[in-house]
Amino acid sequence: MRRPPLVSKYKTMPAFDSYVICTSPRSGSTLLCKLLAATGIAGKPGSHFHEPSLQSWLDHFDLSFEPSRREPEILADVFRAAIAKGSGSTGIFGLRLQRHSFEFFIRKLAVLHPHQTSDRQRFETAFGRTLFIHLTRQDKVGQAVSCVKAEQTGLWHLAPDGTELERLAPPQEPVYDREELRVCYDRFTAFDQEWRSWFETQAIEPLRITYEALASDSSGALREILARLGVNPAAADGVSPGVAKLADETNRDWAARFRSGEGIA
């Protein structure tokens, strides 16, 4: 299902047809997706394959399941819908892949393109020339704190004006939980290692972006990505973050307590 050549609204052709943000929760990926979409030239990136379930994929794209059809045919429809949604009218497809849903995604990609011999070849068969972006958060304690607090309070994202963008559970007060913080800390550390190992086995040298760099200079990080994609980096000018930071005194207190208790510098 190789995609036809794509045409940018700029005179020069982009260096890539698509990009994949390889990441894990609470690493700034929502901020990055909103920034890229706001440029108007870099697709509409999102977690188009978030749930590890074919039925969930069909539901996400409003596609019906037909038992008489073979799985590769169904997957072809899903991927066409994903490309349309993640590209918009920009000619570049954007995808966010969380590590916890990656293994299911890669198995289905192999079903769709069984004749390719590597994951990287299957990506490029499905999405064309693909730029891989590894978005990580260096402060794993802060990442774990952010995740546990979001799970407890139900609030995952705020707009800059304080409006709730994403709430997954009714509001409740956060309570320090050392064991759950340790689980998240270990999980996010493992996710980073799994991404690095996969890049190595696939001979991929990703563009590496950190949460810390994105948070301190979102415009600079955005310009770097646009330049690598081969589109006009000036499209980053005037693009402002679409989400607000949720970290507060509770985050700082939990981080300090966890570092002290676990002996983490």
Side-chain angles (χ1 to χ4, degrees):
M1 194 176 68
R2 184 176 294 279
R3 303 174 65 204
L6 300 173
V7 179
S8 167
K9 72 177 184 179
Y10 292 96
K11 293 182 180 180
T12 56
M13 289 291 290
F16 295 93
D17 302 307
S18 65
Y19 58 90
V20 180
I21 301 169
C22 303
T23 190
S24 59
R26 313 312 286 174
S27 292
S29 62
T30 296
L31 169 60
L32 182 56
C33 286
K34 286 184 175 296
L35 289 170
L36 285 160
T39 67
I41 63 170
K44 295 184 176 180
S47 296
H48 307 303
F49 301 96
H50 185 64
E51 296 296 332
S53 159
L54 181 54
Q55 185 60 57
S56 294
W57 292 1
L58 291 168
D59 293 343
H60 181 72
F61 297 112
D62 295 322
L63 299 173
S64 59
F65 176 73
E66 300 177 27
S68 62
R69 303 185 70 201
R70 298 171 56 250
E71 186 177 16
E73 296 174 325
I74 297 172
L75 287 169
D77 286 347
V78 169
F79 275 68
R80 275 192 291 270
I83 290 169
K85 187 171 185 177
S87 302
S89 60
T90 70
I92 295 178
F93 172 64
L95 173 64
R96 170 173 59 181
L97 272 181
Q98 300 283 8
R99 185 68 208 184
H100 62 265
S101 56
F102 176 77
E103 296 301 333
F104 181 83
F105 172 83
I106 212 69
R107 289 199 302 271
K108 295 306 178 184
L109 188 60
V111 172
L112 183 60
H113 297 295
H115 301 299
Q116 300 298 342
T117 59
S118 71
D119 294 343
R120 182 176 186 173
Q121 289 174 347
R122 294 181 186 115
F123 266 99
E124 294 184 344
T125 300
F127 305 125
R129 300 164 299 169
T130 304
L131 172 66
F132 293 91
I133 301 169
H134 190 198
L135 176 63
T136 62
R137 187 164 179 168
Q138 294 173 315
D139 179 9
K140 287 291 177 287
V141 172
Q143 187 177 0
V145 167
S146 178
C147 187
V148 171
K149 185 184 171 194
E151 289 175 342
Q152 289 187 2
T153 64
L155 180 61
W156 287 80
H157 296 105
L158 280 178
D161 64 0
T163 304
E164 291 187 5
L165 289 176
E166 185 179 20
R167 173 174 288 282
L168 300 181
Q172 65 176 7
E173 288 298 313
V175 178
Y176 182 81
D177 187 329
R178 185 194 64 80
E179 291 185 3
E180 188 58 30
L181 286 169
R182 186 77 221 189
V183 168
C184 284
Y185 178 87
D186 291 342
R187 180 189 304 136
F188 292 142
T189 301
F191 282 163
D192 271 11
Q193 183 55 54
E194 288 165 6
W195 277 126
R196 287 192 292 268
S197 297
W198 182 75
F199 292 138
E200 183 176 353
T201 61
Q202 299 299 313
I204 293 171
E205 182 55 45
L207 173 59
R208 302 181 190 277
I209 302 290
T210 67
Y211 167 90
E212 288 77 8
L214 184 62
S216 65
D217 184 11
S218 61
S219 180
L222 183 57
R223 290 179 69 92
E224 181 179 7
I225 294 171
L226 295 178
R228 283 289 300 273
L229 287 171
V231 297
N232 191 348
D237 297 345
V239 174
S240 58
V243 294
K245 290 184 179 181
L246 286 174
D248 56 16
E249 188 59 37
T250 297
N251 294 66
R252 291 184 283 274
D253 174 62
W254 285 13
R257 289 174 64 182
F258 184 73
R259 290 181 188 279
S260 176
E262 299 295 315
I264 300 174

